[in-house]
């Protein structure tokens, strides 16, 4: 079927038209004030330990993402129901060939330090995001933008290098949060200056972050809470126990192994959602033995996906096929199969690659909140042993992993938040992507990703993505064995909090029923 068209209010600078989008974007659900709402109070949320920066273009760790999600706004943000909610942009329109998007910006909005929000802040934020000297990992995702122009104080135009139906969704990525143009960017490492529903008042790395309600927030009536307190703990058992005892109110990115005990506890509950988030194994294709396609294919054949699903996800989630498009996505190619688990075939491939006596490798991993990477590593070690691989598992501290292990060591476990096919492929597989963790270089893949962006017909785009899936399965730059669901657990008196398909945490409409 053809892509759906969603009508949006027109802005002042071009002819109004329907915005053609890659898949149907549901209309955001209006959230009326809930019955029995009790305003105020403090919500204590426990999550894993990770802190790098609050500077949006450079966001990496999930706590940093969640903090800035509440202190800053995007132009648009995908909600729990997968709708794109207008935040700092009230509406948008395009020209006829989808090479230009014009956004009407919200008026009367102030940053937490008092500056009025205008189009110059959008221009400033996106030009930093596009600046190669800033080094944002999302630069390849937004690289289709050739210019950002302030038409007037409350209208901004994005000029693109080609037809692109995905730009509104791109506005929702966490690196696209808007920061003020009058603040030295160096301050954004440890401070926040935003238009979001909360203001950061205290940050003790590795211990806690405290956010207070923004009294000047543009969305009247929200947030319901007066305060958010994020507490950082490394071990799943410690976080689960803190929730059970009432030391915290919610456990974000609940680890899979904690779900059953929290579901059984009389004072806690668990929210679960399917997602396009996945666990994967990355092999640096620049260095031996991973520069040899036969070795990568041998590891692929030595991967028991069902065993990993059971060990890492307790049988939950879905089997993946070495690409980031999940089975419930309309672009998933059901007829494009991944080779089955076959230790005999893996041995043959290793011998053909020059390792007739097997191969010893080191796999780096870490116990990261909400991602069972260690369990995946152990299951892989067991399934790969009869295939001739001797895998030595090197477990690293979580607070060092993303900064000094991932994209440094040649064989690592990784997890990725769910994204649309365009974003998921662009951020990892484009030859010039900052987060091209396998250092994969394939101009054919680059061209296919660009081609899909310009296709407004869903069937045509599906065929393009099917070819991408075939190539990635054959080249094996990464092994993606499973898609994982997201869990967030909470005390029974917490209302308005549900797991997000992107693995985010949106607390604007959360409240405590004391």
């Amino acid at each position: 079927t053809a892509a759906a068209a969603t009508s949006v209010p027109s802005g002042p600078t071009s002819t109004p038209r329907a915005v053609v989008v890659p898949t149907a974007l549901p209309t955001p659900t209006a959230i009326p004030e809930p019955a029995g709402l009790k305003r105020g109070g403090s919500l204590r949320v426990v999550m894993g330990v990770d802190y790098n920066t609050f500077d949006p273009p450079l966001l990496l760790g999930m706590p940093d993402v969640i903090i800035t999600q509440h202190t800053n706004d995007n132009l648009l943000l995908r909600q729990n129901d997968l709708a794109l909610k207008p935040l700092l942009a009230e509406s948008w329109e395009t020209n006829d060939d989808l090479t230009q998007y014009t956004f009407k910006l919200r008026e009367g909005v102030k940053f937490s330090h008092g500056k009025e929000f205008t189009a110059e802040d959008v221009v400033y934020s996106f030009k930093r995001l596009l600046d190669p000297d800033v080094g944002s990992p999302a630069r390849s995702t937004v690289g289709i933008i050739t210019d950002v122009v302030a038409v007037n104080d409350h209208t901004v135009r994005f000029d693109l290098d080609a037809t692109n139906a995905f730009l509104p969704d791109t506005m929702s990525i966490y690196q696209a949060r808007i920061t003020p143009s009058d603040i030295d960017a160096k301050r954004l490492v440890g401070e926040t200056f935003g238009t979001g529903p909360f203001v950061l008042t205290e940050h003790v790395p590795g211990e806690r972050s405290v956010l207070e309600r923004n009294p000047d927030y543009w969305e009247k009536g929200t947030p319901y809470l007066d305060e958010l307190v994020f507490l950082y703990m490394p071990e799943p058992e410690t976080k689960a126990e803190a929730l059970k005892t009432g030391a915290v109110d919610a456990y974000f990115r609940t680890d899979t192994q904690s779900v059953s005990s929290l579901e059984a506890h009389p004072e806690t509950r668990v929210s679960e959602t399917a997602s396009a988030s996945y666990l994967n194994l990355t092999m640096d294709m620049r260095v031996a033995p991973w520069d040899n396609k036969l070795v990568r294919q041998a590891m692929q054949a030595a991967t028991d996906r069902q065993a990993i699903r059971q060990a890492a996800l307790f049988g939950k989630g879905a089997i993946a096929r070495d690409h980031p498009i999940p089975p419930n996505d309309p672009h998933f190619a059901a007829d494009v199969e991944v080779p089955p688990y076959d230790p005999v075939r893996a041995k043959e491939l290793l011998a053909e690659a020059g390792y007739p006596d097997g191969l010893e490798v080191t796999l780096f991993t870490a116990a990261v909140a909400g991602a069972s990477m260690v369990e995946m590593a152990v299951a892989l070690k067991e399934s790969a042993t009869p295939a001739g691989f001797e895998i030595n598992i090197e477990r690293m501290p979580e607070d060092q992993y993303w900064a000094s292990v991932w994209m440094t060591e040649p064989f690592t476990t990784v997890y990725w938040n769910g994204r649309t096919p365009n974003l998921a492929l662009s951020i990892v597989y484009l030859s010039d992507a900052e987060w091209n963790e396998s250092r994969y270089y394939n101009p054919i893949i680059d061209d296919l990703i660009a081609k899909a962006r310009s296709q407004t017909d869903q069937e045509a785009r599906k065929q393009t993505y099917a070819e991408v899936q075939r190539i990635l399965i054959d080249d094996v730059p990464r092994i993606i064995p499973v898609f994982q669901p997201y869990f967030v657990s909470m005390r029974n008196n917490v209302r308005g909090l549900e797991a997000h398909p992107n693995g985010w945490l949106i607390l604007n409409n959360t409240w405590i029923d004391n």
Side-chain angles (χ1 to χ4, degrees):
T1 57
T6 301
S7 294
V8 297
S10 59
T13 59
S14 63
T15 303
R17 56 156 285 148
V19 175
V20 181
V21 294
T23 54
L25 297 177
T27 302
T29 304
I31 302 178
E33 184 172 300
L37 170 65
K38 295 181 176 62
R39 294 181 176 274
S42 175
L43 184 79
R44 300 159 300 172
V45 182
V46 66
M47 65 174 77
V49 178
D50 203 305
Y51 167 73
N52 292 286
T53 182
F54 294 137
D55 190 1
L58 301 176
L59 289 175
L60 178 63
M62 189 50 58
D64 310 354
V65 170
I66 298 307
I67 295 294
T68 58
Q69 190 164 296
H70 291 92
T71 59
N72 296 69
D73 285 318
N74 290 59
L75 294 184
L76 311 168
L77 189 68
R78 193 168 290 286
Q79 301 296 295
N80 289 59
D81 61 0
L82 296 181
L84 278 176
K85 178 181 179 179
L87 295 185
L88 292 179
E90 290 185 323
S91 61
W92 71 94
E93 60 189 29
T94 75
N95 62 356
D96 288 337
D97 63 358
L98 302 182
T99 59
Q100 189 179 88
Y101 285 74
T102 302
F103 289 83
K104 176 70 173 68
L105 304 179
R106 198 173 298 278
E107 299 185 30
V109 177
K110 289 186 177 181
F111 287 95
S112 56
H113 66 301
K115 180 188 182 301
E116 181 186 357
F117 162 69
T118 66
E120 70 175 344
D121 302 303
V122 178
V123 172
Y124 170 76
S125 299
F126 274 89
K127 290 204 168 179
R128 284 197 68 229
L129 187 54
L130 289 160
D131 186 349
D133 291 335
V134 173
S136 173
R139 190 165 63 92
S140 61
T141 302
V142 297
I144 43 97
I145 300 171
T146 58
D147 201 6
V148 188
V149 179
V151 177
N152 57 45
D153 278 353
H154 294 98
T155 308
V156 65
R157 188 185 76 238
F158 290 82
D159 297 331
L160 312 183
D161 61 6
T163 297
N164 192 298
F166 290 93
L167 189 75
D169 195 72
T170 304
M171 297 294 103
S172 190
I173 65 174
Y174 46 79
Q175 293 93 351
R177 309 217 198 284
I178 304 302
T179 51
S181 56
D182 65 339
I183 294 293
D184 185 347
K186 294 177 182 177
R187 297 180 64 183
L188 301 179
V189 172
E191 299 178 77
T192 64
F193 299 88
T195 60
F198 291 89
V199 178
L200 181 69
T201 57
E202 181 184 11
H203 176 61
V204 183
E207 184 179 331
R208 69 183 180 276
S209 300
V210 180
L211 285 71
E212 293 183 1
R213 183 180 183 275
N214 180 358
D216 299 319
Y217 190 47
W218 55 265
E219 185 176 62
K220 300 307 177 187
T222 67
Y224 301 148
L225 294 161
D226 285 338
E227 183 183 66
L228 301 177
V229 180
F230 294 106
L231 302 168
Y232 307 117
M233 300 179 188
E235 297 300 329
E237 298 83 0
T238 307
K239 288 178 280 194
E241 192 60 28
L243 184 63
K244 291 175 185 177
T245 61
V248 299
D249 304 297
Y251 172 2
F252 172 63
R253 281 285 186 90
T254 304
D255 296 84
T256 311
Q257 63 264 41
S258 301
V259 169
S260 60
S261 69
L262 291 170
E263 286 178 331
H265 195 276
E267 296 179 18
T268 62
R269 61 187 176 89
V270 179
S271 172
E272 173 183 351
T273 184
S275 81
S277 169
Y278 58 88
L279 297 170
N280 72 283
L281 301 153
T282 288
M283 300 159 285
D284 189 336
M285 294 173 59
R286 301 172 302 178
V287 300
W290 309 117
D291 58 344
N292 190 326
K293 179 176 175 178
L294 292 170
V295 173
R296 300 195 305 273
Q297 289 178 329
M299 184 59 76
Q300 183 182 56
T303 302
D304 187 337
R305 296 160 201 273
Q306 290 291 355
I308 289 174
R309 183 186 183 198
Q310 190 58 45
L313 304 178
F314 290 80
K316 295 179 180 290
I319 296 295
R321 299 184 180 181
D322 294 346
H323 60 75
I325 302 177
N328 62 347
D329 189 284
H331 301 98
F332 177 77
D335 60 333
V336 181
E337 299 279 359
V338 70
Y341 174 54
D342 188 344
V344 174
R345 177 57 181 155
K347 272 190 171 182
E348 293 172 351
L349 287 164
L350 274 181
E352 190 178 344
Y355 301 97
D357 299 322
L359 181 61
E360 182 177 359
V361 295
T362 298
L363 176 60
F364 290 83
T365 189
V368 174
S372 302
M373 299 198 312
V374 173
E375 291 79 4
M376 175 176 66
V378 172
L380 178 73
K381 175 183 174 71
E382 293 175 356
S383 75
T385 297
F389 284 100
E390 182 181 345
I391 299 179
N392 302 310
I393 297 175
E394 189 78 28
R395 180 170 171 173
M396 306 298 290
E398 179 184 0
D399 58 359
Q400 300 175 17
Y401 193 75
W402 302 116
S404 59
V405 179
W406 175 61
M407 293 195 69
T408 300
E409 298 295 343
F411 190 32
T412 57
T413 62
V414 192
Y415 81 91
W416 285 84
N417 281 333
R419 292 172 169 84
T420 61
N422 173 57
L423 294 178
L425 293 167
S426 298
I427 203 166
V428 179
Y429 292 105
L430 286 177
S431 299
D432 62 351
E434 294 288 337
W435 281 349
N436 184 342
E437 56 188 7
S438 59
R439 276 71 175 194
Y440 181 52
Y441 177 78
N442 188 335
I444 296 174
I445 287 291
D446 294 347
D447 290 345
L448 288 170
I449 292 172
K451 179 181 178 181
R453 290 172 178 167
S454 67
Q455 292 175 304
T456 56
D457 179 77
Q458 185 167 303
E459 277 305 311
R461 191 170 58 250
K462 181 175 181 178
Q463 292 307 310
T464 301
Y465 281 138
E467 183 61 21
V468 170
Q469 293 166 59
R470 277 189 286 270
I471 293 172
L472 294 180
I473 289 171
D474 182 63
D475 282 351
V476 207
R478 303 191 300 162
I479 292 173
I480 304 177
V482 289
F483 291 99
Q484 63 175 18
Y486 282 126
F487 305 98
V488 59
S489 49
M490 65 210 79
R491 302 286 294 180
N492 289 338
N493 63 344
V494 175
R495 303 282 184 263
L497 174 56
E498 301 295 336
H500 192 293
N502 285 80
W504 300 338
L505 187 69
I506 300 178
L507 299 173
N508 303 40
N509 301 102
T510 300
W511 55 287
I512 300 175
D513 188 9
N514 287 322

